Amino acid sequence: MNDLGNLVEYVVHHEDVRRAGDDPAPPRTLPPELNAAIWARFAPMSAGFYLPAPVGVLLTVPGSPRMQRRARPGADPVRVVGPPVEQALYAMGRRGQAQVQLRGSTMQVQRLADWLSAR
């Protein structure tokens, strides 16, 4: 697989290093073309992370109507809102470092949070 195929993994590992330790670095503002490339790689694989979830999951990148993906079908989905890097971090288990918002009904958000914390 080429570097582009590993882009999401490289970015997540890079952020792991940046955000670790006693003085973690804040999230970076990435150029639009890099965000688009990360989204293009992450969005199709997002179902692999969320398909077993007990609720529908809709991924949304603020200010980018084309960057929206239903990662798991279901009525009354929870929207995971954040930039592509934060979406990838959250889905890949770095929930303490990822800066996303969970939006939706209180019950659905709680069901997703409970499911994620049990993983």
Side-chain angles (χ1 to χ4, degrees), residues 7 19 30-31 40 44 50 55-56 79 98:
L7 177 62
R19 298 181 192 196
L30 299 177
Y50 291 108
V55 299
R79 289 178 50 223

Side-chain angles (χ1 to χ4, degrees), residues 4-91:
L4 191 55
N6 291 320
L7 177 62
V8 173
E9 188 172 340
Y10 290 148
V11 168
V12 167
H13 288 304
H14 182 81
E15 290 304 313
D16 283 342
V17 172
R18 290 185 72 254
R19 298 181 192 196
D22 295 332
D23 189 23
R28 298 177 294 160
T29 301
L30 299 177
E33 57 277 357
L34 183 54
N35 272 322
I38 293 166
W39 182 256
R41 291 296 181 193
F42 171 69
M45 63 189 223
S46 64
F49 298 106
Y50 291 108
L51 201 55
V55 299
V57 177
L58 180 65
L59 307 178
T60 305
V61 175
S64 301
R66 291 186 166 178
M67 290 186 183
Q68 185 165 297
R69 175 89 176 195
R70 186 167 301 277
R72 187 199 186 286
D76 193 18
V78 173
R79 289 178 50 223
V80 181
V81 181
V85 171
E86 304 302 319
Q87 295 272 359
L89 286 165
Y90 193 77

